[in-house]
Amino acid sequence: MNPLLEQWTTPRQTPPFIEIKTEHYLPAFEEAIKAAKQDIARIVNNPEAPNFENTIVDLDRAGEKLSTVADLFFNILECDGDDAMQATAEKVQPLLVQYENEVYQDPDLFARVKAVHEQQEKDKALQGAEKILLDKTYDAFVSGGANLPDEQKKRFAELSLELANRQLDFGQRALKATNAWHVHLEKGSPRLAGIPESALAIAAQKAADKGLQGYVFDLSAPDVNTVLTYADDRSLREDVYMHSSTKAYGGEFDNCENIKAILKCREEIAHLLGYKHYTNYALRNRMAKDLPHVYKLLDELKAAALPAAHREITELEQFAQKQGFEGTFQRWDLSYFMEKLRQEKFNLDMEKLKVYFPLNQVINGVFGLAANLYDLRFEKSEAIQPYHPDVQVFEVFRKEKFMAILYLDFHPRSTKRSGAWMTEFRDQHIDAEGNDIRPWVSLVMNFTPPTKEQPSLLTFNEVNTFLHEFGHALNGMLSEVKYATLSGTHSPRDFVELPSQLNENWLTEPEFLRTFARHYQTGELIPDEYVEQLKNMNKFMAGYLCVRQLSFGYLDMMWHTMPASEVDDIRRLERSIFDTVEVLPVVPGTCMSPTFGHLFSGGYAAGYYGYKWAEMLEADAFSLFKENGVMNHETAQKYAEAILSKGGSMDAMEMFVNFRGREPKIEALLERDGLR
Ligand SMILES: [Zn+2]
């Protein structure tokens, strides 16, 4: 008896997590892959001529059991992945890779998909979600090389392998370079002045782990951040800055050759697939669509932010001089004086805010907001099995309609990876019999746990994270689409953060805070002046911070647009971009590309602009709420209808226009950041 392969008789046929044991997964995968292969064979061997229904839709529905088993397994692996689960993952991965290769490199299957695609090119019979599903399916094959002549297929496979290996090596070298240096300070060293107790405790632990007395600061992001923000000792800041900004540039872990090889592979892949640059290829299914749209956003923001950044830096230098600073203001002085100025401008201790955010009240607040805006009702369920005893389960209704199961998993565990994320154990879709299959949505977080003395009190950032992930959850729970491939959060990468980031906006709205932000002991409401300060804090150094993000966006676009054969001196090329937005003296010898994992080992190649793109969208979308009232029910209904319910089943720009009444503009973002 393998519960993963049985018909579930649990309430709402939810996964019987308590009965599912780790040893059930591998045999379930083997069975499910067999069944999925039979589904694929049925499509391939269908005697009827290929059409949308018997090929594209059937493919979307193929391997239903495999999707369920895989969704369960990989979600549990991330949030409760003990050694046995990890060991199973190593056995499961090759099976899945092999299965996917078989599907996407099956010439007979591709011939059918291609025939449907060609028919559509001719008669344009499909529209809306059907057309998007066809395009997405065809693209999944083509971007894997299925449409290439045999000789090029071989080259494509070589390039894909080389690219994967180089990206992996890039990440490993960056990590090794990060671990290759640290500064060790004795107890009582004057160089420690300014560094807060909490950071010292971590540094003492790091020292102890290395068998040392005193404190160790390495080149990990939190350590660098701590030293640059707090260390009074300027030479310590310079030391850490210089080592951190020259990592993997030259020396033992040099990444320059990897960058060149990665860009060459990406360019050749793009060429094989018929694109001029890697950027055109990467943008093919994004909302921004093409390079001019990306540059339009970057340039407009730059025009507003660069003058502001210059003003801010001048103000900061003057502030530093008043504090007795002498000499040339350098990069390693920036965070330090920014923090000092921030403290002077905003007399707000973030620790003090926590008493207004006990977890249970925050949950009520977040649920209450969704109730007010989207008519959602959350009923706690004791009958539905959680995947871990710490997890809370809710049935979610919209008016009388059952919408989703929501799993909430708040606190850290040794078997949970760090960070916070929304995920689904099942996507919403309409099945072959026409039933509306509702989604199983899960939010996994790592919030401050309760202690014996006090309940879980969230930091301001944690409440923000909760709202962010809950925005993704709304996208999942309110989904009303036909095809699983297009449901919920399956929208373009530069659009998918709109619902999440939009939902963060309420955090500084008094109308929302007043519904739940009360002192956990006295019941006193969060003071208005705190809320005001929090809002203003958003604008602090906003010009500089924006310019910094823009510089990364421009750099990303340059690397992935210029001919790879012309990539020679990495630092010189990087400077050619940074010099156009520079607000501080250039530090000789520094270079950031060799550790820019987003571009060279992660998934943000030709996508870094997406952060700002999504911000433009959500700020503009929220400005309509502000015009009509942040709790305006009608606006929220319109938003739910136009965007949340549609997932990726509609063109992203069309969805936005349906809500906002026009295409997005950057004015709202500039206004929020105080840049106009
Ligand atoms: Zn997100």
Side-chain angles (χ1 to χ4, degrees), residues 468-469 472 496-497 500:
H468 178 103
E469 300 310 333
H472 286 308
V496 73
E497 296 298 329
S500 51

Side-chain angles (χ1 to χ4, degrees), residues 164-395:
N165 288 336
R166 287 283 188 172
Q167 291 184 166
L168 199 64
D169 190 54
F170 181 98
Q172 283 167 352
R173 280 167 177 264
L175 184 64
K176 281 180 189 160
T178 299
N179 293 331
W181 186 88
H182 65 259
V183 56
H184 173 220
L185 299 172
E186 299 292 343
K187 222 174 173 157
S189 162
R191 302 191 87 188
L192 293 166
I195 297 173
E197 282 301 324
S198 55
L200 286 179
I202 296 167
Q205 186 57 49
K206 276 201 176 161
D209 291 345
K210 291 181 191 295
L212 297 168
Q213 302 276 321
Y215 308 94
V216 159
F217 295 94
D218 58 27
L219 295 178
S220 64
D223 279 21
V224 171
N225 203 15
T226 296
V227 170
L228 291 180
T229 308
Y230 298 109
D232 294 335
D233 184 327
R234 193 178 184 220
S235 71
L236 177 63
R237 297 201 306 266
E238 179 178 352
D239 225 14
V240 167
Y241 178 84
M242 285 309 294
H243 280 95
S244 144
S245 307
T246 51
K247 277 191 302 189
Y249 181 58
E252 191 184 350
F253 306 115
D254 183 52
N255 252 335
C256 290
E257 290 312 310
N258 272 338
I259 293 177
K260 290 175 197 170
I262 287 166
L263 293 174
K264 275 210 177 84
C265 285
R266 286 179 182 160
E267 181 183 65
E268 199 179 334
I269 285 174
H271 286 170
L272 282 175
L273 296 174
Y275 295 89
K276 190 164 178 237
H277 309 297
Y278 184 78
T279 22
N280 306 61
Y281 168 59
L283 291 171
R284 74 193 183 285
N285 45 27
R286 303 249 181 88
M287 183 183 179
K289 287 204 161 58
D290 56 25
L291 219 46
H293 284 99
V294 172
Y295 279 123
K296 180 171 180 283
L297 170 73
L298 297 178
D299 292 345
E300 282 181 10
L301 284 172
K302 182 180 149 190
L306 193 55
H310 280 292
R311 282 197 302 275
E312 289 160 5
I313 294 292
T314 307
E315 190 201 351
L316 191 62
E317 279 191 63
Q318 286 164 353
F319 169 78
Q321 281 153 7
K322 261 190 234 149
Q323 312 269 311
F325 176 83
E326 287 169 13
T328 311
F329 195 83
Q330 295 283 8
R331 293 218 156 251
W332 48 87
D333 302 315
L334 185 78
S335 302
Y336 180 76
F337 285 106
M338 259 173 76
E339 177 58 20
K340 295 264 177 295
L341 182 59
R342 194 184 67 81
Q343 282 173 10
E344 191 183 86
K345 283 196 164 181
F346 308 99
N347 180 23
L348 186 58
D349 179 354
M350 298 306 269
E351 281 292 306
K352 271 195 206 139
L353 287 175
K354 286 162 70 170
V355 294
Y356 300 101
F357 298 133
L359 178 59
N360 280 339
Q361 281 170 217
V362 177
I363 297 173
N364 288 339
V366 171
F367 281 179
L369 182 65
N372 276 328
L373 294 175
Y374 313 113
D375 305 315
L376 294 183
R377 189 155 51 79
F378 300 83
E379 282 182 16
K380 191 157 187 177
S381 169
E382 302 297 340
I384 293 172
Q385 299 181 20
Y387 57 84
H388 186 281
D390 292 350
V391 173
Q392 306 181 29
V393 188
F394 297 85
E395 287 177 284

Side-chain angles (χ1 to χ4, degrees), residues 474-487:
L474 289 169
N475 208 182
M477 296 186 296
L478 291 174
S479 181
E480 299 281 6
V481 309
K482 196 166 172 191
Y483 309 109
T485 305
L486 304 179
S487 93

